[in-house]
């Protein structure tokens, strides 16, 4: 996935699964969660529109041996979405056995700025269920992260995380 411009994508801009993907030199901006759905009333008929919000991540990844390199991810703004979306530049997770997981991932040389929530979210909640690590060996290096609305790097519940030679500014950093 190379050299694309993704602008005002609804929900997750790029999701990669499987093995050996290269995602590079993409310009991804202004993702949002501006959706409207209809609600069914007690008789089962559609009665009114309501705003529905969810995540609006730039890149979400699962699987193994991916390289995410030299992308420009910018202006994922809470003010451009409805509800209370969780907007991250990069995210992966394992929620329970058999759901999610990522390993041997390289995130390098990206520029991320003005991100509504977090730059990098890596979590393995599956450990709570069976003790098997499903998110591991993630390397985040040589990136520039400028201005996010929450914790810049949020990594927890897994093994072998390398964070090296990144610039983080106008944000705060936490890796647990």
């Amino acid at each position: 996935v190379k050299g694309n411009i993704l602008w005002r994508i609804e929900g997750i801009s790029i999701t990669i699964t499987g093995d050996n993907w290269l995602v590079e030199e993409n310009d991804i901006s202004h993702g949002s969660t501006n959706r409207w759905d209809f609600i069914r009333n007690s008789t089962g008929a559609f009665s009114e529109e309501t705003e529905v919000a969810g995540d609006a991540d730039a890149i979400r990844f699962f699987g193994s041996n991916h390289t995410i390199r030299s992308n420009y991810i910018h202006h994922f703004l809470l003010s451009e979405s409805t509800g209370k979306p969780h907007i991250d530049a990069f995210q992966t997770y394992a929620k329970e056995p058999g759901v999610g997981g990522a390993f041997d991932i390289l995130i390098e040389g990206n520029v991320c700025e003005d991100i509504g929530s977090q730059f990098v979210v890596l979590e393995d909640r599956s450990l709570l269920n069976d003790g098997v690590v499903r998110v591991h060996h993630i390397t985040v290096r040589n990136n520039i992260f400028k201005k996010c609305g929450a914790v810049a790097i949020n990594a927890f519940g897994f093994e072998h995380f390398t964070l090296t030679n990144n610039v983080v500014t106008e944000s705060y950093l936490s890796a647990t």
Side-chain angles (χ1 to χ4, degrees):
V1 181
K2 181 176 181 175
N4 299 288
I5 297 172
L6 288 88
W7 180 71
R8 295 203 188 283
I9 301 299
E10 187 69 36
I12 312 304
S13 295
I14 296 175
T15 299
I16 55 176
T17 62
D19 303 309
N20 303 309
W21 281 92
L22 173 62
V23 178
E24 69 178 349
E25 299 175 6
N26 297 288
D27 183 322
I28 308 168
S29 67
H30 298 277
S32 72
T33 60
N34 295 325
R35 286 194 325 233
W36 290 89
D37 281 347
F38 289 94
I39 295 177
R40 291 183 185 267
N41 63 22
S42 60
T43 65
F46 289 112
S47 61
E48 61 184 81
E49 286 186 319
T50 185
E51 293 178 289
V52 176
D55 284 354
D57 301 331
I59 300 176
R60 198 175 270 187
F61 56 94
F62 305 96
S64 65
N65 299 307
H66 305 311
T67 299
I68 302 169
R69 172 190 306 137
S70 301
N71 297 286
Y72 180 40
I73 300 170
H74 57 102
H75 298 96
F76 274 67
L77 307 172
L78 293 173
S79 62
E80 293 181 356
S81 289
T82 58
K84 296 180 180 178
H86 191 265
I87 300 174
D88 304 315
F90 306 103
Q91 183 181 39
T92 195
Y93 53 84
K95 294 191 291 188
E96 56 192 46
V99 179
F103 60 93
D104 297 332
I105 307 296
L106 174 60
I107 299 171
E108 74 172 345
N110 299 284
V111 175
C112 302
E113 60 184 326
D114 289 324
I115 304 299
S117 294
Q118 301 167 345
F119 295 124
V120 180
V121 178
L122 313 169
E123 63 181 288
D124 192 339
R125 294 186 187 272
S126 65
L127 286 171
L128 301 173
N129 296 313
D130 65 1
V132 176
V133 177
R134 289 180 174 77
V135 176
H136 57 89
H137 291 88
I138 310 287
T139 300
V140 178
R141 69 178 182 213
N142 302 323
N143 298 284
I144 298 172
F145 299 122
K146 180 180 180 186
K147 196 175 180 185
C148 71
V151 174
I153 312 292
N154 194 351
F156 58 91
F158 67 98
E159 300 173 353
H160 306 289
F161 172 53
T162 303
L163 179 66
T164 183
N165 207 34
N166 297 283
V167 174
V168 179
T169 180
E170 298 182 55
S171 305
Y172 59 97
L173 179 64
S174 173
T176 58

